[in-house]
Amino acid sequence: MVVTRRCNLSCKYCSEFDKTSLPVPIEQLKRQVRKLNELGTLSLVMTGGEPLLHPNIYDLIRYSKRYIFKIGITTNGFMLTKERILKLNASNLYELQISIDGVNPNKTTIKVLKYLKDKLLLLKKYAKFKIHINTVIGPTDPKEALETIKFSNELNFNSTIGLIHDDNGQIHLNENQRKKYFLSDKLRKKPLWDIYNFEKTLIEKGECQFKCRAGSRYLYIDEFGIAHWCSQKRDVFQKPLMDYSFNDLKTQFYQYKKCSRKCTLGCVRKASFFDTWRKQNICS
């Protein structure tokens, strides 16, 4: 759920931020949380933009915890301080994810260890919630992913490896980046749920078909309260969350998504994994 589209960074490969948007009103977000609870939501991730820019983020996390079991946020990490980490502890946050693109900054990204190492050390010292590091293969020299994974292991943080994609969420790697993925994957400390290594198949074969349950098991809620399949397909499917029903969940559950073969979005694939045995309407 997007809580603000505004971000303090402007990474060149990102299509999910701007510099001008106001935070989503807190009462709108609370209504959406209650609606998600009615739809049976078990896990909610607050995202952006940069969610820590929202002035009511801690209140929203506390409020959401009353309705939804697992509350997380995805942040670029730059705004993390001891004070903010303690506030996140007090708000009963379950998990925080940081995406790190490499070690040194370049024209594409500054989300790198050079600037984030001290923030990760603060998290290790003070955070009572789970920490998840997502290392991205693509925006920097791919060998830097190895260093990022090693540092994450030293702090005993779980990690995943993201694959850079185009504006449609489709895989977009060169041969050198593919090789470094396999080296990085052998090193990382994997979370328990990471039993579906779709990235390996994507890299080896160029596609990895799955029965995408976006719009049902997984929803992407934008800053206007509109539900979409995912962040990369906002123009394909959209419906106001407040109008969403169990019938919509069922319809989208069985709806085949032609973009699924080369999809790199691990969050959607993870949410869909345990329904692989169930049919879809087309191309099962």
Side-chain angles (χ1 to χ4, degrees), residues 1 30 35 63 71 105 145-146 179 188 191 202 259 280 284:
M1 181 175 74
K30 288 181 176 180
K35 177 66 176 181
Y63 182 84
I71 306 298
L146 297 173
K179 291 178 180 179
R188 68 189 177 94
L202 260 179
C259 50
Q280 279 194 320
S284 294

Side-chain angles (χ1 to χ4, degrees), residues 156-207:
N156 201 32
F157 292 160
N158 285 334
S159 60
T160 51
I161 303 175
L163 306 178
I164 196 167
H165 53 73
D166 60 23
D167 291 340
N168 291 310
Q170 306 290 284
I171 189 169
H172 193 68
L173 294 178
N174 61 39
E175 185 59 30
N176 188 36
Q177 291 166 340
R178 293 169 190 251
K179 291 178 180 179
K180 288 300 189 292
Y181 165 81
F182 289 111
L183 291 174
S184 302
D185 188 56
K186 291 178 181 179
L187 291 175
R188 68 189 177 94
K189 182 179 183 292
K190 300 180 182 181
L192 291 175
W193 53 259
D194 194 7
I195 58 177
Y196 172 38
N197 193 356
F198 73 91
E199 295 96 342
K200 181 176 183 290
T201 304
L202 260 179
I203 290 173
E204 290 179 337
K205 299 183 179 180
E207 62 179 47

Side-chain angles (χ1 to χ4, degrees), residues 6-10 18-19 49-50 53 76 78-79 110:
R6 188 172 167 230
C7 189
N8 53 322
L9 304 183
S10 53
D18 66 31
K19 291 291 186 181
E50 172 49 58
L53 285 172
N76 59 47
F78 276 71
M79 294 183 64
I110 61 171

